[in-house]
Amino acid sequence: MKKNGFTLVELLVVVAILAMLVALVVPNVMESYHNSLKKDMEIQENGVVDAANIFIRDFCYSPITQENLANCPVYFKDKMVSGVNYRYVLLDDLVNLKFIPAVYYSDVKCKGFVLYQKNDNGRYNKNPKAYLKCSTVYQTETGGKFNYSDFGL
């Protein structure tokens, strides 16, 4: 008798081999996907910092003397957290003033701020850090220095 097709055992072996391949490949693909999302957020955080620096240069400092100007808007706020002086700019203010488009993480709109810390000589650092919070799916680590709620987020 002529055999047309595969036996049940042969099909089960093929399915088992495919299942093992999927079990090996899917975790690596998911890890790569999450790593790319994190890298994208790092790039967006750098863009937010750049926008905040441009904002402050445009509104808060004299290009000639580098001194504070009286017309620095309320968007550049002062905050004392755990005995440390900070100055910050909210992401929403940068978006509303068209310095940067809204930031998203997996289709979730982010909130956040750019933080400038006062150094020992009384000036604010030139290397600020962006902190973004995108619902519960992404949040920049603060290192326990403060909570997002300290800044109204």
Side-chain angles (χ1 to χ4, degrees):
M1 193 165 191
K2 195 171 183 186
K3 194 171 160 184
N4 290 337
F6 300 103
T7 65
L8 183 58
V9 172
E10 290 171 332
L11 289 174
L12 287 174
V13 167
V14 169
V15 168
I17 290 170
L18 289 174
M20 284 189 288
L21 286 173
V22 167
L24 292 172
V25 170
V26 168
N28 291 333
V29 168
M30 293 308 293
E31 183 180 349
S32 295
Y33 174 72
H34 289 295
N35 287 342
S36 69
L37 284 177
K38 286 180 183 177
K39 186 66 176 168
D40 181 52
M41 288 308 294
E42 288 174 12
I43 291 168
Q44 289 195 61
E45 286 172 356
N46 290 337
V48 170
V49 167
D50 291 344
N53 286 337
I54 291 168
F55 166 80
I56 291 166
R57 271 197 307 265
D58 282 357
F59 289 109
C60 298
Y61 293 112
S62 164
I64 298 168
T65 64
Q66 295 297 307
E67 305 232 351
N68 287 345
L69 298 176
N71 67 343
C72 189
V74 296
Y75 303 111
F76 194 36
K77 302 173 179 87
D78 290 316
K79 184 78 170 176
M80 176 76 81
V81 179
S82 301
V84 179
N85 284 321
Y86 292 104
R87 204 167 252 190
Y88 68 101
V89 177
L90 290 174
L91 175 61
D92 284 346
D93 294 336
L94 295 172
V95 170
N96 293 338
L97 293 168
K98 309 271 190 258
F99 276 85
I100 194 168
V103 176
Y104 290 88
Y105 180 87
S106 293
D107 298 330
V108 176
K109 188 174 181 185
C110 301
K111 294 193 170 286
F113 52 91
V114 177
L115 198 62
Y116 298 80
Q117 184 174 348
K118 195 177 248 188
N119 57 27
D120 294 336
N121 64 7
R123 299 192 73 140
Y124 287 93
N125 61 6
K126 297 196 185 213
N127 298 316
K129 173 99 173 96
Y131 293 93
L132 301 178
K133 182 177 183 179
C134 313
S135 184
T136 58
V137 294
Y138 179 84
Q139 180 172 310
T140 308
E141 286 297 319
T142 64
K145 296 177 186 173
F146 52 82
N147 296 317
Y148 280 86
S149 60
D150 293 334
F151 297 89
L153 302 179

